[in-house]
Amino acid sequence: MSPPQERSSAAGLAETARQIRLSILDTIAAPRMGHIGGDLSVTDVLVTLFFGVMRYRPGEPDWADRDRFVLSKGHCSAALYSVLAQAGYFERSQLQSFMAPLSALNGHPNRRKIKGVEANTGPLGHGLPFAVGCAAGGRIAGAGYRTFVVLGDGELQEGSNWEAAMYAGHRGLDNLCAVVDRNRLQQGARTEDTNSLEPLADKWRAFGWDTVELDGHDHAALLRAFEAPRDGRPRVLIANTIKGKGVSFIEDRVEWHHKVPSPEQMLRAREELNRMELAQ
């Protein structure tokens, strides 16, 4: 199955995202470990890519013409695993083994253990350079695939990202699309209090990137940005998001970077997400 044959509408993507958020809650509940704030902020971006944009075949994970996806903010693996299970790369029941001893579902994605994972990520600042290499390799080979990479905003304090951005801009890698999950929070503090990133859009433009700022929870806007005609430059979407999106007591709270809800809080979170279904 390949998503271009069954692309979801914006409304369909919104419902899938709600289901993925519920899956994230279930996934982190058993081990009581994870990074729920970032998982929930990046959900809409991942859902739009996997169910509205990218070309891939779960039954043929090494298909040469597949689009490549790299989750540079690898600590948000519960969101990625929930999406990969929904896409058919493995059985959803496997999510119950998240972070268990010797489980394939590590706290950070491992391409040797999970189909659909293109790169081992976790150490921040590595995903964009890897994705640039994928895009450059595709250009050299004359391949038609695109490469997508999702970065955390705090991660942009790593200099390796800007070296990669400079190279991609210089080479005009328009088969590359980066997304910055701009939730403005990192472990322990706000990004602007830690090491200010602004003016972030101007920085990407200065490196030669087609730069789009948008609501990272608006599926229709994300679809338009991913599918807009390419102009000979790599593209970056600065996706303004809310850390913990969808759960009121987690939203925009720095302590929920890797805090895990109590059983009572899990029930409350599920109730809020179920009410979201009624409102759609």
Side-chain angles (χ1 to χ4, degrees):
M1 179 182 68
S2 180
Q5 299 168 5
E6 300 180 7
R7 287 186 176 177
S8 296
S9 63
L13 292 170
E15 172 56 20
T16 299
R18 189 188 68 83
Q19 294 173 8
I20 293 298
R21 286 187 166 92
L22 287 167
S23 175
I24 290 167
L25 294 180
D26 291 340
T27 299
I28 69 174
R32 295 200 51 74
M33 291 185 285
H35 292 80
I36 191 171
D39 286 326
L40 296 176
S41 73
V42 80
T43 295
D44 297 298
V45 171
L46 298 187
V47 164
T48 302
L49 277 171
F50 275 85
F51 304 108
V53 176
M54 288 180 13
R55 300 165 60 248
Y56 58 91
R57 296 174 180 172
E60 192 180 346
D62 295 325
W63 177 43
D65 291 332
R66 71 190 183 282
D67 289 332
R68 274 62 169 172
F69 174 77
V70 179
L71 181 66
S72 189
K73 47 180 293 179
H75 55 283
C76 292
S77 57
L80 177 61
Y81 295 153
S82 294
V83 167
L84 290 176
Q86 180 80 5
Y89 278 99
F90 55 85
E91 294 295 327
R92 296 181 193 177
S93 59
Q94 193 172 344
L95 293 170
Q96 298 171 14
S97 70
F98 179 60
M99 296 186 76
L102 303 181
S103 170
L105 301 185
N106 291 341
H108 296 91
N110 187 325
R111 67 180 300 273
R112 295 182 180 274
K113 295 185 177 183
I114 294 293
K115 295 177 181 178
V117 173
E118 295 285 349
N120 295 13
T121 54
L124 300 177
H126 290 190
L128 181 60
F130 182 92
V132 168
C134 287
R139 171 71 60 80
I140 292 169
Y145 66 79
R146 297 176 71 187
T147 299
F148 300 89
V149 56
V150 172
L151 306 99
D153 50 1
E155 179 181 4
L156 293 179
Q157 295 159 2
E158 297 279 358
S160 52
N161 288 308
W162 299 106
E163 294 178 39
M166 179 169 57
Y167 178 87
H170 175 69
R171 295 296 178 185
L173 297 179
D174 64 356
N175 57 346
L176 173 66
C177 182
V179 184
V180 178
D181 183 16
R182 186 69 169 117
N183 60 39
R184 292 174 170 77
L185 286 171
Q186 61 191 90
Q187 181 174 337
R190 295 192 174 275
T191 58
E192 300 313 285
D193 294 334
T194 304
N195 192 3
S196 180
L197 296 171
E198 296 297 341
L200 186 56
D202 289 343
K203 290 174 181 175
W204 284 98
R205 292 187 183 104
F207 279 79
W209 287 61
D210 174 19
T211 304
V212 180
E213 297 182 83
L214 77 173
D215 180 349
H217 303 302
D218 184 333
H219 301 95
L222 287 165
L223 283 171
R224 288 192 299 270
F226 283 127
E227 296 176 343
R230 289 178 263 170
D231 66 357
R233 294 178 292 168
R235 178 171 299 155
V236 60
L237 311 187
I238 299 177
N240 292 299
T241 62
I242 298 172
K243 198 159 189 172
K245 174 68 175 177
V247 180
S248 62
F249 60 88
I250 297 178
E251 288 188 348
D252 200 37
R253 300 286 297 271
V254 68
E255 65 266 29
W256 287 98
H257 179 77
H258 50 58
K259 183 178 176 180
V260 176
S262 67
E264 294 76 17
Q265 289 172 322
M266 282 287 190
L267 288 174
R268 180 180 167 190
R270 291 188 67 86
E271 288 172 357
E272 291 190 9
L273 291 171
N274 286 328
R275 285 199 298 270
M276 187 184 295
E277 178 184 25
L278 298 176
Q280 289 175 358

